Amino acid sequence: MRLHGSLGLILLCTLELFGARAFLVQPSIEQGESATLVLSAKGDSIKFPAIEQIDGFTIVSRQSRQSIELVNGSVTKQLDHYFTFYPDHDVTIPSYEVIVDGKKELTEPIHLKFSQKVATSSRKEPFSFEMKVSNAMPMRHEGVKLSFIFKRNKNENLVDMRFLKPTLEGFWVKELTKDNPHVEGDDVIHTIHYMIYPQKSGDQRIAAAKIDVARQVTSREMFISQIQWKSIVSNDLTLHVKPLEGVDLLGDFSMDVQVDKKDIAPNEALNVTLKITGEGNFDDIEPFKLNLPDAVVFSDTPKVTTWMESEKLKGEFVQKFAINAQKSFEISPWELRFYHPIKKRIEKIVTPSQTIKVRGESLVAKSEKGVAEEERAQSLPLAVSWQMDGRSFALGFGFAGAMILALSLVYRFKKVKLIPRSMQQKALLQKLLKYQGKNEEVDRWIEKLEANLYGGAKHPIDRKIIGKILEDFV
């Protein structure tokens, strides 16, 4: 008992004597494990150095702890700073300068031992992390199930886990429901699933994912307990994406058109709804057009809704039109072409034509109208006939001038409105892809749009500038 008491007294005296020191939570680590340097000092005023990296390895986290001791009626403050980093080789940690109560204190250099992880038949790793896909050779826009499977030994007492999925640039991503952890033998298995949809053909690489796990460890320094983080990295994958020839849609769709009435009065509004349902890449469906030369047509922006159902991307596309007409007209069929992945062929669906009757419209046969005007012209005196011809010439000249002015305005309007302000970024990307490789500015805008849509970036998109660039191609 006397011996133990003496050792305890010596240790306390040693702790009180130091002004500043440095030590490692663990003097050696394995591949994937984090290292933590501790700078510790006692005094009333303590200033530690600003450390951003150690031997080229970035500091990933910082923590501070402060304790107050009362020894022989004297109050002493102890401050500890923790610096965590992930080395991949042996590291010699240099001496650092700490200012304690106005005096400069230098810590001793420390050597950190790093070792590669060695797999042996007698030793099973406590963690494993794997990435799998349901199909390594999909077509563009075809859904692929991406699974992340993390296994940990059930005897490992983890404090925290952080999953860092890859960026998945070039893919449209939908998260599926997470599986509840379950036990298989000595392992607890965690699984996360995503559905990814490649937006480009060719080889598309999926970078490795990472899971950081935290364990409570005790260092060889007495009274020190620290959380140690360890990174477990998965494999990476490459998808060989086949091109989608002839169409830009993949899935199974059905299309229907509804009109609220088939018989209207002149200038009475008619509402038309075009609806597409099924499964596939609904976000790539282009807005439809309705051309009626003898009517005024208003069209809204299509509303697209998608959701996951049994690992399939279901959706609905709805576009509404309002029509105002004074004479009967016909709504021509709309057409949608897409590649059917099960039938492995391009299919086409067409809506039926719709005939709309306008009540009370004036119907005069063209031949009868022509005969009446000809007889009237022959019965007029020469002076009156000349006057009518002059008036017709003036009216015709004025009409022609108005038409030329209108056409020039339409042309100018068309040039400015090549890219409407309301055009969605995905539709804009599809439009620009037609001119990829023909203009450096177009290529730069394509990169920004792809980063926004598939990489989570937030580049500002100036549709007016893009419209001016595209004027050279139309």
Side-chain angles (χ1 to χ4, degrees), residues 410-425:
V410 168
Y411 178 72
R412 290 181 61 191
F413 178 78
K414 180 181 178 182
K415 290 185 70 176
V416 175
K417 293 298 183 180
L418 281 173
I419 305 296
R421 186 174 297 178
S422 61
M423 180 177 283
Q424 297 180 359
Q425 290 193 19

Side-chain angles (χ1 to χ4, degrees), residues 27-89:
S28 63
I29 61 169
E30 282 190 348
Q31 178 185 4
E33 292 181 336
S34 64
T36 301
L37 168 70
V38 183
L39 297 184
S40 184
K42 285 185 177 182
D44 294 328
S45 174
I46 302 170
K47 184 179 180 181
F48 289 108
I51 303 176
E52 298 297 330
Q53 59 180 20
I54 297 176
D55 196 18
F57 300 106
T58 302
I59 303 300
V60 297
S61 70
R62 297 172 176 79
Q63 294 181 10
S64 297
R65 292 182 184 177
Q66 180 176 302
S67 60
I68 304 296
E69 295 181 0
L70 181 62
V71 180
N72 298 327
S74 177
V75 177
T76 303
K77 179 176 71 173
Q78 178 172 328
L79 189 60
D80 300 325
H81 276 200
Y82 295 80
F83 303 90
T84 301
F85 59 104
Y86 285 89
D88 59 9
H89 55 69

